[in-house]
Amino acid sequence: MSTLTAKTASEMNQGMLLALLGLLVVSLVVISLFIGSNPIPVFQALQESLDDTPTVLSMILTEVRLPRALIAAFAGATLGLCGAVMQGLLRNPLASPGLVGSSSGAAFGAVAVLYFGLGTTFWAALPLGGMLGALGATLLVYLLAGRDASIVTLILAGVAINSLALALISLLLNLAPSPYAVREIVLWMLGSVASHSMNEFWIMLPGVLLGSLLVTGNGRALNALTLGEDTARSMGINIVRLRWQLFLAVALAVGSAVSITGAIGFVGLVIPHLLRPLVGYMPGRLLPVSALGGAAMLLMADIAIRLFPAGTEIKVGVLTALVGAPFFLYLILKTRRAQL
Amino acid sequence: MMLSRSILILLLALFSANTLGAKKPMRVVSTNLCTDQLLLMLAEPGQIASVSHLAVEPESSYMAEQAKRYPLNHAEVEELLTLKPDLIVAGAFTKKATVNLLRELGYRVEVFPLTSNIAEIKRNVEHMAQLLEQRAKGDELVQEMEKRISTVQAEVPNRALPSLFYQPRGYTSGRNTLHDEALILTGWRNVASEHGVNGYGVIDLESVLLAEPVQFFTSDYGQGSDSLAQRQLQHPALRLITGGKPMVNVGFRYWICGGPMIADAIEQLAEIRNR
Amino acid sequence: MNRLMGTGLSMEIAQHKILQETDIQLAPGELLGLIGPNGAGKSTLLRGLAGLLDLSAGDVTLDERDLQSYHPDVRARKIAYLAQNGEAHWPIKVQRLVELGRTPHLSAWQRPGGTDEEIVHNAMRATDTWTLRDRIFSTLSGGERMRALIARALAVEPEIILADEPVAALDLAHQLDVMELLLDHCRAGGSAIVVLHDLPLAAHYCNRLQLLDKGRTIAVGVPSEVLTQENLHQVYNLVPRSESFSSDIFTLPWTTSRSQGGTGHE
């Protein structure tokens, strides 16, 4: 009995947990502003950025480091939140934007928009492409795997759709008259938050906020889903509407984020998992916690790659994959053991 | 002793020059964009049997117009054999296996090295001219290039200003590149070299800004296409740091292969410097 | 007055008639047992009454009003549904699971408050699960799990509980436990429909039984009227072992110490 209760000893007060994670994210954003390829006097830069005429220091702070930190925070939050949403909705600990194809679908959508020259028509074309790609891929996986898909079926369907998206991305990039095609593929499949401007942040933001807004208020429904679809429906939850609303939310948020950063993997898988015990395994409580956790993870990863010696250009997605892939294997082994 | 040996060498030289003269190549096949362009500049029209398919791409080939008159090849052994070449000119990027196979089959294959400075360009031009028995044309081409470059050099201000070739995804040209030599000849400092980039490499945005370049150049290949990598060239900080001066595109075709067309690029760089 | 009533309920899936023009009535305070062989349509009927199924034909009324006309939250506050093989997909604590019963009473943003906590507490005391409140649901024994799930249903404070085979896979004592809990609910003014396979158990606890076979109602009424030799033969193809058959033999020879002693053990 004592060992069983010990399992949940890590559960924390929700308000406290949110405050701690929020503080962590804010600190990481600040740290992120202090770390770059070159040491700069940040306080002086801050002072200078309050003046009207831009200086080199203020530019590095506000045009390079700030968008980088903000994009990392919001993209990370999106991935963490959407991972928690999908795991809750599909009641499957391995569901995540990366595994069920949302991310690679979004990447394909964005690449298609760029390839067909639609990206310059209006600002929202790029994230819209990402959203459509994410929605299409997610629905395909969902239809392929079926409603009550087992973990294995879901992963297999995800593998198929991910490969298809990768193939289509490669095809488009190879057709494009660009010697950077191969590098672009790497960018889209691994993801990076570096070298963006505030423009990209503003492009990404509306979809991310809209998606998050669609998720909020559904925590109660995800909690009820813990007891299965019938029981949840008997408690007044409209599952059909919930499913569509959440798929749409994931498409909006992941589509927007990925169309700017590329498909950064494993944040959506790892973060909900690590934080779930802290919220007593309640899918609803996990949502805001996971969003903050995702932001923290991506910020940390992006800070870590900047600590490597200058000149080595490691993409943030490489690091999240290096951490995430072994974690994924561990999860598979754990679920396998649970099924035995 | 010395004298007889000198005579022997002289005789040998005369003899070999004669045989070479008798074997002036009349079916030359080029398998590589760089040799394509030298060939098109130096050969009589009757000497060229085929050039590579890239030679007709105006983005990458300086001689695209002239190349259209000749059959194109894709550097595949089979198609090369059907062209019945008496000389095959290839580049450093031509597949080793192809070159070896052609040589084993008894074909004469000349491989041209890459160029990363003007001296190497001269050497390649002279080498090609010699192979084609067009030395006079080769000398003329080199002299004209040198004349244009020294004219430009005389005109640019003495004080060198910081600048940078900035390509999509932060790629740049540092020390030991044609870009570097061209910038320095035309009154610019190369920020990438000073940052420690050797050859072609990546420079991060912060280091670029800290160096406060007054002018950005690019030789973006995919002009007109859109990608996240290319969007990076539109980063607002790049415009802010140069006080709103737009990035200048100096065509890809001047740099991808070293050749006398470097003089065009140098003139463009100097023109910006003289403004 | 009927609390819950179904008229002419039919369900057809891929031309297979699962339920055919079945009527059903549930009065306040009543514990109704749904019995019949596998595939008789019991679960389908129950899900139809819970509003979980789009029936091919027929009407369900709750308190004399069309069930479909209720807002899902309102319906959910009146009818609690206990699914077959109830499980929790995440390793949540028992107390949290029971709290989920408050879902229909809370808006999307609301967190359970003081009254909710009290109701949850009461439900857990009634089902003897309070001592299990910090245990992980999936680590409980079968009987403990079912009691926790019933506590979840009670936390809804429903008028009606619809329970689909709640005693399957439970040992005898736990079966009685569960039936006692449902009976308590009905004695307190609620009502319940429970799908059962154990005929003596059904006969002992239920006020009325409804016997289904191949989607049709064969018999309905007090246990002695339904569990006749003819009906059992027709539906289950059972014949009595001795000639002295009477529905009295369905009386249970034992009861739980809890209901005997009057107080629960805590």
Side-chain angles (χ1 to χ4, degrees):
Chain A
M1 171 94 182
S2 61
T3 51
L4 292 171
T5 45
K7 228 177 152 182
T8 59
S10 46
E11 188 179 335
M12 281 177 70
N13 174 289
Q14 179 82 345
M16 178 75 98
L17 184 57
L18 286 174
L20 279 178
L21 281 170
L23 198 68
L24 178 64
V25 170
V26 171
S27 327
L28 285 169
V29 167
V30 172
I31 292 172
S32 185
L33 293 179
F34 274 86
I35 293 179
S37 52
N38 297 278
I40 63 161
V42 175
F43 293 110
Q44 190 190 333
L46 195 65
Q47 239 163 22
E48 288 178 16
S49 62
L50 296 176
D51 299 337
D52 280 342
T53 44
T55 64
V56 180
L57 292 182
S58 72
M59 250 184 264
I60 287 179
L61 189 66
T62 60
E63 301 285 342
V64 181
R65 291 189 184 176
L66 185 65
R68 183 174 188 159
L70 289 178
I71 287 173
F74 279 79
T78 295
L79 294 170
L81 176 69
C82 292
V85 164
M86 298 196 123
Q87 295 182 5
L89 182 66
L90 301 173
R91 280 159 287 147
N92 188 329
L94 294 183
S96 69
L99 285 178
V100 307
S102 319
S103 290
S104 50
F108 166 65
V111 169
V113 164
L114 292 171
Y115 174 73
F116 291 109
L118 302 170
T120 45
T121 50
F122 68 119
W123 68 268
L126 190 64
L128 273 178
M131 290 170 199
L132 284 179
L135 190 62
T138 314
L139 287 181
L140 258 174
V141 168
Y142 182 68
L143 290 177
L144 267 176
R147 213 166 69 182
D148 293 309
S150 73
I151 288 172
V152 175
T153 324
L154 192 75
I155 289 178
L156 286 179
V159 165
I161 295 303
N162 277 328
S163 314
L164 180 66
L166 175 60
L168 290 173
I169 290 172
S170 310
L171 181 68
L172 283 187
L173 290 176
N174 284 324
L175 289 175
S178 166
Y180 316 111
V182 177
R183 282 180 209 135
E184 283 276 295
I185 296 174
V186 172
L187 168 82
W188 285 109
M189 295 324 289
L190 284 173
S192 159
V193 295
S195 303
H196 289 301
S197 68
M198 287 305 287
N199 292 346
E200 276 84 23
F201 174 66
W202 295 124
I203 287 175
M204 161 181 133
L205 193 62
V208 167
L209 290 183
L210 218 60
S212 314
L213 204 68
L214 271 176
V215 170
T216 43
N218 283 320
R220 179 185 80 132
L222 289 180
N223 285 342
L225 256 185
T226 303
L227 300 179
E229 290 199 2
D230 268 355
T231 307
R233 285 174 60 209
S234 82
M235 290 195 286
I237 307 299
N238 185 339
I239 301 284
V240 177
R241 207 191 61 197
L242 177 75
R243 204 179 286 134
W244 279 106
Q245 200 173 333
L246 292 182
F247 275 166
L248 193 66
V250 168
L252 285 175
V254 170
S256 302
V258 167
S259 68
I260 295 301
T261 64
I264 298 172
F266 296 102
V267 177
L269 176 79
V270 172
I271 286 299
H273 247 280
L274 287 181
L275 297 177
R276 191 169 279 121
L278 301 184
V279 295
Y281 295 88
M282 296 301 277
R285 281 176 62 190
L286 184 60
L287 297 176
V289 170
S290 212
L292 289 173
M297 175 172 171
L298 200 53
L299 280 164
M300 275 193 263
D302 191 46
I303 288 169
I305 59 165
R306 277 180 276 176
L307 298 178
F308 282 96
T312 48
E313 197 215 9
I314 296 170
K315 299 214 171 352
V316 71
V318 175
L319 199 64
T320 59
L322 280 176
V323 177
F327 189 81
F328 179 47
L329 290 177
Y330 157 77
L331 279 182
I332 290 178
L333 287 176
K334 209 176 101 177
T335 31
R336 247 186 56 188
R337 234 176 292 134
Q339 278 166 354
L340 286 178
Chain B
M1 232 357 232
M2 279 291 280
L3 185 73
S4 60
R5 211 175 133 178
S6 306
I7 292 169
L8 189 69
I9 288 169
L10 185 72
L11 276 174
L12 266 173
L14 273 173
F15 177 75
S16 52
N18 266 337
T19 33
L20 276 179
K23 276 192 195 165
K24 178 174 177 178
M26 293 306 288
R27 290 200 58 79
V28 183
V29 170
S30 164
T31 63
N32 166 277
L33 177 63
C34 298
T35 46
D36 289 341
Q37 298 183 71
L38 293 179
L39 183 63
L40 289 162
M41 285 175 192
L42 291 166
E44 302 160 16
Q47 283 184 292
I48 303 175
S50 168
V51 289
S52 84
H53 68 287
L54 288 174
V56 293
E57 301 280 339
E59 283 263 7
S60 46
S61 170
Y62 188 71
M63 303 296 284
E65 244 346 278
Q66 293 87 330
K68 282 180 189 159
R69 277 177 274 165
Y70 304 98
L72 304 179
N73 71 71
H74 297 80
E76 299 292 338
V77 174
E78 279 186 37
E79 62 173 336
L80 296 181
L81 297 190
T82 59
L83 290 164
K84 299 196 178 66
D86 53 7
L87 170 63
I88 297 167
V89 284
F93 283 131
T94 307
K95 270 182 270 173
K96 270 254 155 55
T98 306
V99 172
N100 288 342
L101 181 55
L102 288 167
R103 278 183 177 153
E104 271 169 42
L105 292 170
Y107 290 89
R108 186 176 170 207
V109 184
E110 288 290 332
V111 179
F112 282 68
L114 293 176
T115 49
S116 52
N117 57 52
I118 292 165
E120 284 169 3
I121 290 178
K122 276 194 275 186
R123 225 169 293 147
N124 268 359
V125 171
E126 279 158 7
H127 184 200
M128 181 65 87
Q130 189 191 345
L131 289 173
L132 297 172
E133 289 291 313
Q134 303 286 356
R135 282 170 213 241
K137 234 176 168 177
D139 290 344
E140 196 188 319
L141 212 56
V142 168
Q143 276 161 25
E144 203 208 306
M145 175 179 80
E146 285 183 326
K147 204 182 94 196
R148 285 171 68 190
I149 292 173
S150 51
T151 312
V152 161
Q153 246 184 307
E155 286 169 2
V156 294
N158 280 331
R159 199 168 63 92
L161 299 178
S163 71
L164 178 76
F165 265 88
Y166 200 58
Q167 317 289 11
R169 198 130 304 288
Y171 278 85
T172 189
S173 313
R175 265 178 281 119
N176 302 317
T177 61
L178 270 179
H179 299 84
D180 187 62
E181 192 175 7
L183 283 175
I184 286 161
L185 282 172
T186 51
W188 300 103
R189 278 165 45 207
N190 185 0
V191 165
S193 303
E194 289 165 12
H195 183 66
V197 178
N198 193 13
Y200 299 95
V202 180
I203 187 165
D204 67 278
L205 193 50
E206 286 187 19
S207 302
V208 169
L209 296 178
L210 278 174
E212 298 190 62
V214 298
Q215 181 67 53
F216 286 102
F217 299 102
T218 187
S219 45
D220 183 10
Y221 178 83
Q223 292 278 311
S225 67
D226 195 5
S227 67
L228 273 196
Q230 282 161 307
R231 286 184 171 209
Q232 201 178 319
L233 296 184
Q234 293 155 19
H235 198 294
L238 298 180
R239 256 172 181 263
L240 281 173
I241 196 85
T242 57
K245 262 181 277 167
M247 190 174 272
V248 172
N249 187 47
V250 184
F252 193 60
R253 59 180 180 276
Y254 303 119
W255 313 101
I256 182 166
C257 291
M261 58 278 197
I262 191 68
D264 283 23
I266 285 175
E267 281 169 2
Q268 289 180 36
L269 293 178
E271 196 204 319
I272 306 288
R273 180 67 187 86
N274 290 332
R275 266 181 202 167
Chain C
M1 184 189 118
N2 285 311
R3 191 161 263 175
L4 190 65
M5 186 166 81
T7 331
L9 305 181
S10 300
M11 188 66 195
E12 207 172 306
I13 297 174
Q15 287 172 333
H16 185 71
K17 291 185 170 115
I18 297 166
L19 205 59
Q20 303 182 53
E21 310 230 338
T22 304
D23 297 341
I24 189 166
Q25 285 100 31
L26 181 68
E30 186 177 41
L31 179 58
L32 173 65
L34 271 186
I35 54 173
N38 292 327
K42 305 181 298 291
S43 291
T44 306
L45 178 57
L46 200 72
R47 280 160 52 84
L49 290 171
L52 299 176
L53 216 57
D54 281 329
L55 291 165
S56 315
D59 299 302
V60 179
T61 60
L62 172 63
D63 293 331
E64 324 244 277
R65 221 181 97 193
D66 183 11
L67 186 67
Q68 301 295 322
S69 73
Y70 282 88
H71 187 278
D73 277 346
V74 179
R75 187 207 68 211
R77 278 175 228 151
K78 288 174 175 273
I79 303 177
Y81 173 78
L82 270 174
Q84 212 171 322
N85 311 320
E87 53 178 331
H89 287 275
W90 303 109
I92 59 174
K93 283 185 197 172
V94 172
Q95 190 175 356
R96 295 224 181 280
L97 180 135
V98 178
E99 270 169 15
L100 288 178
R102 299 306 295 161
T103 303
H105 296 270
L106 301 171
S107 77
W109 307 94
Q110 226 176 332
R111 311 248 285 134
T115 10
D116 297 305
E117 267 169 39
E118 204 183 307
I119 291 161
V120 168
H121 185 227
N122 289 342
M124 294 183 81
R125 290 223 174 261
T127 52
D128 251 344
T129 50
W130 184 244
T131 49
L132 306 173
R133 63 188 177 278
D134 283 331
R135 294 270 304 273
I136 304 297
F137 177 75
S138 55
T139 66
L140 300 182
S141 71
E144 289 168 334
R145 275 191 213 195
M146 201 59 229
R147 292 213 312 270
L149 288 170
I150 290 176
R152 197 281 301 165
L154 291 177
V156 174
E157 294 193 296
E159 291 172 7
I160 300 162
I161 295 178
L162 303 177
D164 198 352
E165 293 195 35
V167 300
L170 295 188
D171 65 46
L172 193 56
H174 284 117
Q175 291 188 358
L176 301 189
D177 255 357
V178 167
M179 292 311 292
E180 293 284 348
L181 287 171
L182 291 174
L183 198 57
D184 285 347
H185 168 70
C186 296
R187 280 181 187 139
S191 30
I193 302 178
V194 53
V195 174
L196 291 169
H197 275 301
D198 188 319
L199 300 183
L201 199 68
H204 182 80
Y205 282 103
C206 297
N207 306 102
R208 279 195 309 135
L209 296 179
Q210 183 154 354
L211 175 61
L212 294 184
D213 188 29
K214 301 188 181 80
R216 289 182 188 280
T217 303
I218 304 302
V220 59
V222 293
S224 58
E225 287 169 11
V226 174
L227 299 176
T228 61
Q229 208 171 329
E230 300 75 47
N231 285 342
L232 293 183
H233 184 248
Q234 185 194 337
V235 172
Y236 292 100
N237 205 15
L238 292 174
V239 287
R241 213 188 271 272
S242 72
E243 283 177 23
S244 62
F245 180 88
S246 100
S247 50
D248 287 353
I249 63 158
F250 290 115
T251 317
L252 289 180
W254 42 61
T255 182
T256 58
S257 55
R258 191 169 75 119
S259 58
Q260 195 68 22
T263 55
H265 41 78
E266 290 200 0

